[in-house]
Amino acid sequence: MSSSWRNIPIPDCVARLPCNSAGRPVPANVTWREPDDDGSIPVDRDPELGAHVTCPCTPGRGKPWFGEQCPVRQRQFMLQRQCGLCTEPIAPSAQLMFIGETNAPYYLEPPLHQACAAYALQVCPVLHVSGERIEVALTASYTLGEDRITGVAADGALRRSVFPLGFPPAYHLAVLEFYLAFPATPERHAAPTWLAQYAPKQLPAPTD
Ligand SMILES: [Zn+2]
Ligand SMILES: [Zn+2]
């Protein structure tokens, strides 16, 4: 990736995020690891969630672990309709956006403001190179399911199942890690197509 991402106008709410060592803002749903982190996955239990994965990380402390979501913040953003990039609430009247693969039935990444989605599509190296294979889904609302860990396979891989939100029989059988967002009647577009229509209206043209 060239240095051109620095020329993309940054929304104010994103400019307040902690940055990685290259100066790139770190999405709020990303896990941070401090030097003494041994990579273990702490599990807690309470009446509200049953067994669930916790996480002690603090944004800005240690190093961001791109590609790994903090389960605590992921669940908070999903439940509270907060933007997974900038953390700010998304107005109930606003159309929100999910980014994922073509025709994804549900999303593991929290919703985004449209301006934040436009910024992420232009700046995030993974999204940028994925081009047409990335789709955006615009929707007014979504419902949640639970992604729970049900066991460990012989090769060490975690077995997972999707459960309805707040389904007590799952509380003892499986460990809640993430919420899954199922968008209501989404309007889907290939990411580059949506960006070409949306970004010029919202963002000043790059200066170079
Ligand atoms: Zn965390
Ligand atoms: Zn945002």
Side-chain angles (χ1 to χ4, degrees):
M1 184 96 189
S2 72
S3 63
S4 64
W5 66 270
R6 293 178 190 279
N7 297 327
I8 306 293
I10 186 167
D12 288 346
C13 52
V14 177
R16 290 194 288 267
L17 292 169
C19 293
N20 71 355
S21 53
R24 195 186 291 268
V26 178
N29 64 331
V30 166
T31 294
W32 289 73
R33 289 211 179 138
E34 297 193 58
D36 60 350
D37 187 332
D38 62 3
S40 63
I41 302 176
V43 173
D44 207 346
R45 197 174 285 276
D46 68 30
E48 192 192 345
L49 302 177
H52 59 278
V53 176
T54 66
C55 178
C57 82
T58 306
R61 288 177 58 175
K63 276 193 179 154
W65 228 252
F66 285 97
E68 214 173 87
Q69 294 200 84
C70 170
V72 173
R73 286 194 297 284
Q74 193 269 7
R75 296 194 301 257
Q76 177 194 326
F77 297 159
M78 287 288 209
L79 273 178
Q80 307 289 336
R81 196 181 159 103
Q82 285 171 258
C83 176
L85 177 58
C86 77
T87 79
E88 297 293 329
I90 301 172
S93 58
Q95 286 244 304
L96 54 85
M97 187 153 256
F98 292 102
I99 299 177
E101 291 173 6
T102 306
N103 270 321
Y106 57 77
Y107 296 88
L108 191 56
E109 301 247 343
L112 297 165
H113 295 110
Q114 292 190 54
C116 291
Y119 181 76
L121 287 169
Q122 294 172 90
V123 166
C124 169
V126 176
L127 294 177
H128 198 79
V129 299
S130 302
E132 292 286 340
R133 287 182 290 118
I134 296 289
E135 195 172 69
V136 297
L138 271 162
T139 182
S141 64
Y142 57 91
T143 55
L144 293 176
E146 296 184 350
D147 176 32
R148 286 183 182 259
I149 301 165
T150 55
V152 183
D155 65 359
L158 296 176
R159 293 186 204 276
R160 332 184 65 104
S161 285
V162 179
F163 293 93
L165 183 67
F167 180 63
Y171 288 12
H172 302 289
L173 298 171
V175 180
L176 174 66
E177 186 164 24
F178 297 118
Y179 289 129
L180 304 173
F182 294 76
T185 56
E187 182 191 315
R188 299 177 187 273
H189 303 278
T193 310
W194 175 76
L195 199 56
Q197 289 169 1
Y198 175 85
K201 284 186 290 187
Q202 297 295 320
L203 304 168
T207 50
D208 65 345

